[in-house]
Amino acid sequence: MNLIKETSERSKKLNKGEAKINSFPHSIQLSFEGVAIKNLKVTAVFDRGCYKGPNLCLEEEETLLKNAIQNEPHYKIKTELASTMGVKWYYIIYEYKTEYSIVLDLEEYKVVKKYPSFLELGKWLSLFSDSVPLSNYEENGLPEIDTIMRKNKYSWPGNMDGLLINNNKIVCVIEYQNTSKKRVADHDNNDYMESSYYRKGDGRRWLVIKLIEEALKTKTVVIVWSYNEQVIAIKPIKNYQLNQYNNVSKIDWQKKVMCNINTLTEEEFLKIVTTE
């Protein structure tokens, strides 16, 4: 069975910062394709695989479970992380021809739900999240499942870019930020908290990150990178300020460190992100 990991991160394949972190020999970087929040708590984490092949048979439960685990080489760590956060980690297999989907619990090795359409899947996913109106703005280049869900007035939960683990210990959450209109050194995520005609505001996105780091009792580090530069900015977050809607309105930063991405070592990076 061929399961394709589709992601809403459009620049993932070209992400210089992520490629550098993944090259570190003694660290593991994990991600969750979906993190749901409700009432200021993480309620579930998700990953997904798009089925390619003959029509997806929802009755082949054993085969689907085995293939999902094969598609997640760090699934044991992910189940432990979900347990630490006090939530379930769900793996969803889906296909476009029929819009069938099946929800798996890999920790308990069982099928949780089966759905005949992305509409019904979206209704189930919405139970884990606060009721938030969809923005009129939609990014280009998203996987088809995200576009279909939006047409159904539902959405896939936002993702977590990375979680760095070293020596079996959580180091930090990593959020990657590509910049094209400003130099890496000049980029500030606070400039994009409010919505505009051309983009949705980032306040909700940062609230998700805040709640993840609280659930895992860790910190978050932002890595800013550009297609046009060989430097990255490493920016640990000191604190979040919330507005009256409990969305993040401002990020307070610790010291920003500029690094040449070609010479940055694992030891140097770990020292930067673990320094208070």
Side-chain angles (χ1 to χ4, degrees):
M1 180 186 296
N2 191 7
L3 295 179
I4 306 300
K5 297 194 72 170
E6 295 189 311
T7 178
S8 60
E9 289 297 315
R10 297 172 297 166
S11 60
K12 189 175 183 66
K13 291 182 179 179
L14 301 174
N15 187 332
K16 297 177 183 179
E18 186 171 11
K20 168 58 71 171
I21 304 305
N22 284 335
S23 73
F24 293 159
H26 306 298
S27 297
I28 297 172
Q29 184 174 207
L30 307 175
S31 64
F32 287 108
E33 187 56 33
V35 180
I37 62 170
K38 192 172 187 176
N39 298 326
L40 297 180
K41 290 184 179 180
V42 177
T43 55
V45 288
F46 304 89
D47 277 298
R48 63 191 188 187
C50 180
Y51 172 75
K52 300 292 185 179
N55 284 354
L56 178 62
C57 179
L58 300 183
E59 305 309 314
E60 295 180 355
E61 297 182 0
E62 183 74 15
T63 299
L64 295 172
L65 285 161
K66 286 182 178 179
N67 279 272
I69 288 175
Q70 290 174 0
N71 216 43
E72 286 289 342
H74 301 299
Y75 84 95
K76 288 185 178 179
I77 300 176
K78 286 193 169 186
T79 57
E80 292 171 1
L81 291 171
S83 178
T84 298
M85 290 188 279
V87 301
K88 280 290 188 180
W89 171 45
Y90 297 108
Y91 192 96
I92 300 174
I93 296 176
Y94 59 94
E95 75 168 352
Y96 289 121
K97 286 187 293 185
T98 61
E99 286 200 12
Y100 287 163
S101 61
I102 184 166
V103 182
L104 308 175
D105 181 334
L106 300 186
E107 179 184 16
E108 298 188 15
Y109 201 72
K110 69 178 184 180
V111 172
V112 178
K113 301 280 186 180
K114 299 178 183 180
Y115 292 107
S117 68
F118 290 163
L119 172 61
E120 295 303 316
L121 175 63
K123 288 180 180 179
W124 178 75
L125 287 169
S126 71
L127 299 177
F128 295 93
S129 299
D130 296 312
S131 178
V132 179
L134 288 178
S135 167
N136 290 327
Y137 174 82
E138 183 176 353
E139 297 171 313
N140 294 321
L142 292 176
E144 187 179 350
I145 188 171
D146 296 283
T147 302
I148 294 173
M149 282 194 169
R150 286 185 62 89
K151 289 180 179 178
N152 290 335
K153 307 304 180 184
Y154 294 103
S155 64
W156 183 271
N159 72 322
M160 181 188 75
D161 285 352
L163 180 71
L164 189 67
I165 297 175
N166 181 270
N167 290 327
N168 296 317
K169 294 182 179 180
I170 297 172
V171 178
C172 61
V173 174
I174 299 178
E175 186 71 7
Y176 293 99
Q177 180 64 62
N178 174 246
T179 180
S180 57
K181 296 182 179 179
K182 291 185 178 182
R183 294 170 59 247
V184 167
D186 299 330
H187 184 277
D188 187 347
N189 295 90
N190 288 316
D191 296 336
Y192 305 95
M193 290 297 177
E194 300 298 327
S195 62
S196 71
Y197 179 80
Y198 298 101
R199 56 172 287 122
K200 59 184 179 182
D202 286 347
R204 174 82 175 182
R205 165 195 172 192
W206 288 108
L207 177 62
V208 173
I209 300 300
K210 176 180 184 292
L211 297 178
I212 292 171
E213 71 171 64
E214 289 175 351
L216 292 173
K217 296 180 173 59
T218 187
K219 65 192 297 183
T220 296
V221 173
V222 177
I223 296 179
V224 184
W225 64 280
S226 170
Y227 298 111
N228 305 315
E229 298 182 56
Q230 296 304 310
V231 296
I232 58 173
I234 302 173
K235 307 189 328 181
I237 292 177
K238 180 180 180 181
N239 186 48
Y240 303 87
Q241 298 181 29
L242 304 185
N243 60 22
Q244 67 269 35
Y245 305 108
N246 284 322
N247 287 328
V248 174
S249 59
K250 187 175 186 290
I251 294 173
D252 299 321
W253 305 101
Q254 291 182 357
K255 181 181 178 181
K256 175 173 63 178
V257 180
M258 302 296 299
C259 296
N260 185 309
I261 197 168
N262 298 309
T263 59
L264 178 65
T265 66
E266 183 175 23
E267 182 180 5
E268 290 170 335
F269 181 79
L270 292 174
K271 184 176 180 180
I272 292 169
V273 300
T274 56
T275 299
E276 296 295 334

